[in-house]
Amino acid sequence: MTRISSLFNSYPSVPTAKPGGSRELILIVDDEDSVTLLAERVLTHEGYRVITARNGFQAIDLFKKLHAELHLVILDFVMPILSGGEVLIELLKIDPQVPVLLTSGFTSNESLKELLGKGLCGFIPKPLAQKKLLLSVRSAIDAARTADTAAFLPAAI
């Protein structure tokens, strides 16, 4: 297990003017109450709506019910019973376009590279830093919106 925050330094992000939210709905999946509480407080203070799940099964159940309304999932990589990778696979079966940010303090580079190939849109290292969290969330939501808009644009003649 190695620290992997530097792995994402080379990935471009979508520039944003302000990292605040516009009532977008975010699902936070983490088994650590302190992490969930911190992220929920920061995000709601900045204008996002937040729902939380303490484990993978709860996350999948909530996602089945609310995926059409969700703008982003923040998913812990290391959780008991179902790992973040296993949860990601199930979420992608329900909605292959779901934007997911992974969080972790430690994981292997190989595991992370495998998840990136499955559609993961970014990584936020733990402990969560408020500014990094807000910028990553805003960038992921904006990138997903840009991708959705591009899917509806007519092809160039």
Side-chain angles (χ1 to χ4, degrees):
M1 304 265 269
T2 57
R3 191 130 177 97
I4 58 167
S5 60
S6 62
L7 183 63
F8 281 89
N9 291 339
S10 61
Y11 287 90
S13 62
V14 176
T16 60
K18 180 179 181 280
S22 301
R23 305 276 308 139
E24 295 97 334
L25 183 60
I26 299 171
L27 170 60
I28 300 172
V29 185
D30 201 304
D31 61 315
E32 294 179 59
D33 290 337
S34 60
V35 172
T36 303
L37 184 60
L38 170 70
E40 183 177 21
R41 283 184 180 168
V42 167
L43 293 170
T44 55
H45 182 264
E46 289 296 321
Y48 296 97
R49 296 176 298 138
V50 175
I51 56 173
T52 63
R54 297 198 67 220
N55 60 58
F57 290 114
Q58 188 179 32
I60 293 166
D61 186 49
L62 283 169
F63 191 78
K64 284 178 182 175
K65 295 174 185 172
L66 299 171
H67 71 92
E69 300 171 47
L70 284 170
H71 292 87
L72 180 67
V73 176
I74 300 174
L75 178 63
D76 185 21
F77 184 71
V78 179
M79 293 187 296
I81 305 170
L82 284 180
S83 71
E86 293 167 319
V87 174
L88 177 63
I89 290 167
E90 293 304 312
L91 299 183
L92 291 170
K93 286 179 186 176
I94 299 164
D95 181 357
Q97 303 304 315
V98 59
V100 178
L101 286 172
L102 189 72
T103 65
S104 184
F106 295 93
T107 188
S108 75
N109 287 344
E110 291 306 312
S111 298
L112 187 56
K113 286 178 186 176
E114 182 182 327
L115 290 177
L116 281 169
K118 291 184 166 100
L120 189 65
C121 68
F123 177 78
I124 308 171
K126 286 182 181 179
L128 297 179
Q130 181 175 338
K131 184 175 181 179
K132 174 72 174 168
L133 174 64
L134 291 171
L135 290 173
S136 296
V137 165
R138 185 75 262 150
S139 293
I141 290 172
D142 289 348
R145 281 187 178 148
T146 302
D148 287 344
T149 303
F152 293 105
L153 294 176
I157 298 176

